């Protein structure tokens, strides 16, 4: 049934045929997929999730006016459409809908909003979240810089050798596998940032190795915190004490 399938069809032709036919003739789509070679199937799967039959097309583009119409159809109160358009032109509709979801009736089939919910209510939630995020991020950055500094300082103070490379030595850590992974990530970051002046200097002068107080500035904070988590308990205690905290061990 349907149009004859060209076994030599390009991936682009296949996608076009799927878009045209997947609703009207899913059997055609399935057989068309089967006719493609392995390489073309891999390209196809980047755009379609194949689970026995084809999935639906992606949602189409909507203008600001159409976005407002969708919100109104779900019974969101919008009294000033020009204001709503201004906000949607600054805050992506999909981001905005994440806040709108909090005021939608999850038991309804049409995603309707609770009675009395207005566009301004949803935007107020967004503004509150943005202000709170900015406050939290400001102080998180201060805490992160402090943690990087204290971890590097107190570990390096406790473990000194001729090469100043004790953080490369697994005997100073409790988990050898995780330590190896962190050192691999450090080396990856050095390679990725090889043109950054201070990284370039350590590549040229120190054979790709860095003292810990330099390494903590190139590692992600996740990697730095993981490094701390596998330090010996005596080192962890010293670092946490310097930050005003006493561990429960």
């Amino acid at each position: 049934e349907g149009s004859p399938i060209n076994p030599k069809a390009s991936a682009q032709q296949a996608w076009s045929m799927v878009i045209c036919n997947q609703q009207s003739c899913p059997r055609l789509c399935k057989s068309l997929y089967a006719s493609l070679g392995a390489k073309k199937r891999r390209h196809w799967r980047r755009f379609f999730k194949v689970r026995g039959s084809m999935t639906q097309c992606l949602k189409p583009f909507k203008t600001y006016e159409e976005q407002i119409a969708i919100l109104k159809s779900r019974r969101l109160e919008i009294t000033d459409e020009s204001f709503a358009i201004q906000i949607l032109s600054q805050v992506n509709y999909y981001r905005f809908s994440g806040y709108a979801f909090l005021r939608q009736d999850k038991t309804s089939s049409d995603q309707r909003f609770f009675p009395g919910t207005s566009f301004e209510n949803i935007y107020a939630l967004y503004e509150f979240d943005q202000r709170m995020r900015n406050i939290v991020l400001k102080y998180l950055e201060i805490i992160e810089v402090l943690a990087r500094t204290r971890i590097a300082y107190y570990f390096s103070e406790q473990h000194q050798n001729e090469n100043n490379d004790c953080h490369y030595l697994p005997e100073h850590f409790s988990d050898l596998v995780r330590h190896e992974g962190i050192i691999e990530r450090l080396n990856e970051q050095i390679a990725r940032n090889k043109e950054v002046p201070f990284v370039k200097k350590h590549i040229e002068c120190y054979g790709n190795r860095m003292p810990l107080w330099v390494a903590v500035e190139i590692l992600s904070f996740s990697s730095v915190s993981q490094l701390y988590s596998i330090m010996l308990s005596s080192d962890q205690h010293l670092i946490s004490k310097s930050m005003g905290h006493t561990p429960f061990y």
Side-chain angles (χ1 to χ4, degrees):
E1 295 125 296
S3 306
I5 300 171
N6 176 8
K8 295 183 179 180
S10 69
Q12 184 176 1
Q13 289 172 321
W15 300 332
S16 300
M17 293 178 72
V18 166
I19 292 170
C20 295
N21 292 289
Q22 67 175 22
Q23 296 298 328
S24 59
C25 187
R27 289 181 62 188
L28 170 65
C29 299
K30 189 173 180 179
S31 57
L32 203 157
Y33 175 79
S35 73
L36 297 175
K39 185 175 180 180
K40 291 176 182 176
R41 289 189 189 188
R42 285 197 297 272
H43 287 304
W44 203 3
R45 285 198 295 266
R46 293 178 185 177
F47 295 88
F48 297 96
K49 182 182 274 186
V50 181
R51 290 183 177 176
S53 61
M54 297 300 104
T55 60
Q56 294 183 4
C57 292
L58 296 176
K59 291 183 178 180
F61 166 80
K62 298 292 184 184
T63 65
Y64 296 131
E65 291 77 12
E66 289 172 324
Q67 293 171 16
I68 288 173
I70 292 172
L71 294 172
K72 280 187 170 182
S73 71
R74 295 171 181 169
R75 305 186 186 182
L76 180 66
E77 296 179 4
I78 302 178
T79 56
D80 188 343
E81 290 194 11
S82 61
F83 172 74
I85 289 175
Q86 178 187 349
I87 297 306
L88 291 175
S89 70
Q90 299 170 355
V91 181
N92 182 28
Y93 175 86
Y94 201 74
R95 179 183 292 267
F96 184 86
S97 65
Y99 296 89
F101 181 76
L102 300 172
R103 295 293 300 161
Q104 288 177 291
D105 185 353
K106 312 305 182 295
T107 63
S108 68
S109 59
D110 57 358
Q111 304 179 53
R112 73 181 62 178
F113 289 89
F114 292 117
T117 303
S118 68
F119 187 92
E120 287 75 13
N121 293 151
I122 307 302
Y123 184 59
L125 283 174
Y126 168 78
E127 283 195 310
F128 172 79
D129 183 57
Q130 289 300 107
R131 290 196 297 270
M132 179 63 73
R133 188 190 302 268
N134 289 337
I135 293 171
V136 171
L137 287 177
K138 173 184 175 182
Y139 290 102
L140 280 179
E141 183 178 7
I142 294 172
I143 294 170
E144 178 183 328
V145 172
L146 176 64
R148 288 177 186 269
T149 301
R150 298 294 172 84
I151 289 170
Y153 182 88
Y154 285 101
F155 179 89
S156 299
E157 181 186 47
Q158 292 300 111
H159 303 281
Q160 301 183 47
N161 64 8
E162 184 178 351
N163 295 320
N164 300 310
D165 63 351
C166 285
H167 54 295
Y168 283 96
L169 306 179
E171 59 263 30
H172 299 301
F173 299 90
S174 61
D175 189 319
L176 306 187
V177 174
R178 291 177 65 193
H179 175 261
E180 182 180 2
I182 294 168
I183 297 302
E184 286 178 0
R185 290 197 290 277
L186 173 59
N187 290 332
E188 289 170 1
Q189 288 299 319
I190 291 173
R192 188 174 293 121
N193 296 278
K194 60 184 178 181
E195 297 304 323
V196 176
F198 81 91
V199 177
K200 189 175 182 179
K201 176 181 178 180
H202 282 81
I203 292 174
E204 295 174 350
C205 300
Y206 304 106
N208 279 24
R209 293 162 73 82
M210 295 178 167
L212 186 56
W213 59 87
V214 178
V216 294
E217 297 301 331
I218 194 172
L219 281 169
S220 69
F221 189 59
S222 173
S223 294
V224 173
S225 63
Q226 288 177 42
L227 187 68
Y228 170 82
S229 72
I230 61 172
M231 287 180 178
L232 303 178
S233 58
S234 58
D235 294 327
Q236 292 179 337
H237 181 85
L238 191 63
I239 293 165
S240 61
K241 185 178 179 181
S242 77
M243 298 180 70
H245 173 68
T246 302
F248 295 103
Y249 49 79

